[in-house]
């Protein structure tokens, strides 16, 4: 490729060559950017997915591996075993341990926010409740919020479960199902979410799955949803032609036995995707015919492909951001979702955005 470029540059001016060069420069900047920003301990799923998306496999694996080595490991009840052969225990009948069956009926929301979070992560739930999770009315549209949990796997799980019970009685915003809450079970969590929405929110127009490390601008979300389709609609940061990682050391490794094609179908990145409420039931049905993968957003992409429903790009490419957007009131007043580097950032940015005065 470099040789072609050299040859071309000796000929007439070549925009192909220049764009190849720009691409290299861009890649180098991206790599530097990532090295700088991927702070160990803070590597979020959405982040990592992006790394897998935008960088060559070898580099990705190494960097992700390095970061992973410094992430504190969750003490599980049994020693962790690599899920062989990358099976996901879905479909399966899971039962709700904590539920809010009347939530949608009582609040009659226009959009319901579903936030997957680890059972032990009450600090994040509190931060969200006091920031974007507190925005419950935009114009005349009601917004509801629920946190999605599995069962705690740590040694203190009994204490933890008692705390969750108390938290649930206080805030009435926890949905907990009886699968083990772990990274490799995130697809189960997403499917339980869709099952829940199908059963308990039949009259709601939209739902959004939001990762807990995301800053959400609820007003921008609602305003986008006022003019989007009412059916068969899913949007977010849509990945197209994302490469399947085949290095067994990669956190997103998928063997060919589980998924053969070299690329994934289009899917909306897990950091935050929005969909109309006719979709959950269809996706739950499709999921019975599609071989599950543990990467939850990819799995929904596979189910969408099975259904023959295309993902929709958001009306504006800057609305959903997988890399933390540098804070700036104007920019944050216009976006819908961005990952953040820390819980503190998430809280500070939200507070600053509430200040009176012009945004831009
Ligand atoms: C990832 O980390 C493990 C444990 O430190 C190491 O054995 C392995 O070789 C690493 N893999 C890559 C691709 O760097
Ligand atoms: C949905 O709307 C119907 C008709 O308005 C109503 O009877 C029903 O209780 C609503 N269900 C929920 C769960 O909100
Ligand atoms: C996922 O949850 C199921 C059901 O609780 C459990 O059997 C399985 O071990 C869990 N998998 C992981 C990787 O935690």
């Amino acid at each position: 490729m470099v040789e072609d470029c050299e040859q071309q540059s000796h000929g007439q001016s070549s925009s192909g060559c220049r764009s190849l060069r720009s691409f290299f420069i861009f890649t180098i900047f991206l790599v530097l950017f990532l090295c700088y920003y991927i702070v160990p301990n803070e590597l979020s799923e959405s982040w990592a997915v992006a790394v897998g998306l935008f960088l060559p496999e070898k580099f990705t694996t190494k960097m992700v591996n390095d970061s992973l080595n410094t992430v504190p490991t969750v003490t599980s009840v049994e020693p962790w075993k690599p899920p062989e052969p990358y099976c996901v225990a879905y479909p399966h009948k899971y039962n709700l341990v904590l539920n809010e069956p009347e939530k949608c009926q009582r609040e009659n929301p226009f959009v319901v926010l579903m936030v997957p979070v680890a059972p032990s992560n009450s600090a994040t739930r509190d931060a969200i409740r006091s920031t974007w999770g507190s925005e419950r009315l935009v114009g005349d549209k009601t917004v509801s919020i629920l946190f999605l949990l599995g069962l705690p796997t740590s040694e203190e799980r009994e204490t933890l479960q008692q705390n969750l019970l108390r938290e649930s009685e206080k805030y009435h915003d926890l949905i907990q199902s009886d699968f083990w809450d772990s990274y490799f079970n995130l697809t189960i969590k997403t499917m339980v979410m869709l099952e829940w929405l199908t059963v308990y929110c039949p009259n709601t127009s939209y739902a959004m799955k939001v990762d807990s490390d995301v800053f959400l601008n609820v007003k921008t979300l609602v305003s986008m949803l006022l003019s989007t389709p009412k059916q068969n609609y899913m949007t977010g940061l849509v990945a197209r032609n994302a490469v399947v990682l085949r290095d067994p050391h990669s956190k997103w490794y998928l063997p060919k036995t589980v998924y053969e094609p070299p690329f994934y179908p289009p899917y909306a990145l897990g950091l935050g995707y929005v969909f109309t409420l006719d979709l959950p039931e269809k996706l739950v049905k499709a999921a019975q015919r599609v071989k599950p993968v543990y990467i939850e957003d990819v799995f929904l992409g596979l189910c969408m492909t099975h259904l023959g429903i295309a993902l929709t790009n958001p009306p504006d490419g800057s609305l959903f951001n997988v890399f933390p957007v540098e804070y700036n009131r104007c920019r944050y007043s216009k976006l819908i979702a961005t990952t953040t580097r820390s819980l503190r950032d998430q809280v500070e940015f939200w507070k600053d955005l509430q200040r009176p005065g012009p945004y831009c």
Side-chain angles (χ1 to χ4, degrees):
M1 256 205 288
V2 175
E3 226 169 286
D4 280 356
C5 182
E6 224 67 275
Q7 273 164 12
Q8 274 184 345
S9 64
H10 289 134
Q12 306 143 344
S13 85
S14 142
S15 62
C17 171
R18 214 170 296 146
S19 71
L20 192 59
R21 245 185 230 144
S22 324
F23 174 74
F24 278 129
I25 291 169
F26 172 72
T27 311
I28 288 165
F29 271 107
L30 187 59
V31 167
L32 288 176
F33 173 83
L34 286 170
C35 292
Y36 179 74
Y37 280 117
I38 295 196
V39 186
N41 298 336
E42 277 181 19
L43 184 87
S44 76
E45 278 150 50
S46 350
W47 266 83
V49 170
V51 176
L53 276 178
F54 303 128
L55 293 172
E57 183 170 349
K58 258 194 197 142
F59 185 84
T60 307
T61 310
K62 168 134 189 7
M63 217 165 60
V64 166
N65 197 14
D66 287 352
S67 318
L68 278 183
N69 289 340
T70 56
V71 171
T73 44
V74 182
T75 16
S76 32
V77 183
E78 285 168 14
W80 183 83
K81 288 186 243 112
E84 274 291 335
Y86 293 82
C87 291
V88 177
Y90 191 86
H92 179 79
K93 178 77 198 118
Y94 294 105
N95 304 293
L96 294 168
V97 181
L98 296 174
N99 194 9
E100 290 300 325
E102 323 243 279
K103 186 82 167 181
C104 280
Q105 200 163 22
R106 203 171 52 232
E107 301 184 357
N108 193 23
F110 171 64
V111 52
V112 48
L113 306 174
M114 307 295 280
V115 187
V117 57
S120 60
N121 206 347
S122 59
T124 297
R125 290 191 291 276
D126 282 340
I128 293 174
R129 284 186 191 111
S130 68
T131 57
W132 51 263
S134 68
E135 298 185 60
R136 312 304 284 278
L137 198 63
V138 178
D140 62 344
K141 302 293 186 197
T142 303
V143 180
S144 297
I145 180 166
L146 289 153
F147 297 97
L148 291 162
L149 322 171
L151 296 176
T153 53
S154 71
E155 275 163 19
E156 305 86 45
R157 62 183 180 284
E158 276 169 30
T159 326
L160 207 53
Q161 191 58 36
Q162 278 170 9
N163 293 345
L164 288 174
L165 198 61
R166 247 175 277 133
E167 190 179 326
S168 168
E169 279 165 3
K170 186 164 176 195
Y171 298 107
H172 290 284
D173 59 5
L174 303 184
I175 304 292
Q176 185 186 36
S177 179
D178 63 349
F179 60 86
W180 283 9
D181 200 306
S182 69
Y183 175 70
F184 282 96
N185 269 344
L186 283 182
T187 292
I188 299 177
K189 198 179 258 196
T190 292
M191 296 317 295
V192 164
M193 164 184 89
L194 295 176
E195 289 174 3
W196 191 88
L197 287 168
T198 304
V199 174
Y200 297 108
C201 300
N203 299 338
T204 302
S205 304
Y206 296 96
M208 178 175 186
K209 181 260 188 180
V210 200
D211 273 350
S212 62
D213 60 347
V214 160
F215 168 92
L216 184 73
N217 186 327
V218 180
K219 291 184 192 72
T220 326
L221 169 68
V222 170
S223 98
M224 176 186 82
L225 292 178
L226 293 177
S227 55
T228 40
K230 305 275 179 275
Q231 269 185 335
N232 290 339
Y233 173 78
M234 184 186 280
T235 194
L237 191 56
V238 182
R240 298 182 195 271
N241 299 315
V243 176
V244 180
L245 300 184
R246 301 296 191 194
D247 183 328
H249 295 108
S250 163
K251 195 185 179 189
W252 297 273
Y253 169 59
L254 262 196
K256 285 191 177 154
T257 48
V258 176
Y259 184 81
E260 216 184 331
F263 299 103
Y264 288 124
Y267 67 96
L269 294 203
L271 80 120
Y273 48 80
V274 185
F275 48 95
T276 45
L277 269 223
D278 58 321
L279 280 185
E281 189 173 6
K282 296 175 190 173
L283 288 166
V284 167
K285 279 209 183 108
Q288 297 173 5
R289 317 217 144 241
V290 177
K291 192 169 179 176
V293 296
Y294 67 86
I295 310 171
E296 59 94 22
D297 45 10
V298 164
F299 183 55
L300 287 192
L302 291 166
C303 292
M304 289 291 278
T305 302
H306 178 87
L307 291 169
I309 304 173
L311 278 112
T312 310
N313 284 326
D316 174 341
S318 59
L319 291 175
F320 295 85
N321 302 274
V322 71
F323 298 115
V325 173
E326 209 50 56
Y327 184 72
N328 143 358
R329 248 169 86 88
C330 187
R331 178 87 174 80
Y332 270 62
S333 70
K334 292 176 181 167
L335 56 73
I336 289 180
T338 173
T339 49
T340 49
R341 252 171 263 141
S342 66
L343 200 54
R344 213 185 65 193
D345 278 1
Q346 220 186 103
V347 173
E348 292 306 313
F349 299 167
W350 185 85
K351 278 190 190 153
D352 187 75
L353 211 58
Q354 310 310 306
R355 269 196 296 118
Y359 290 124
C360 296

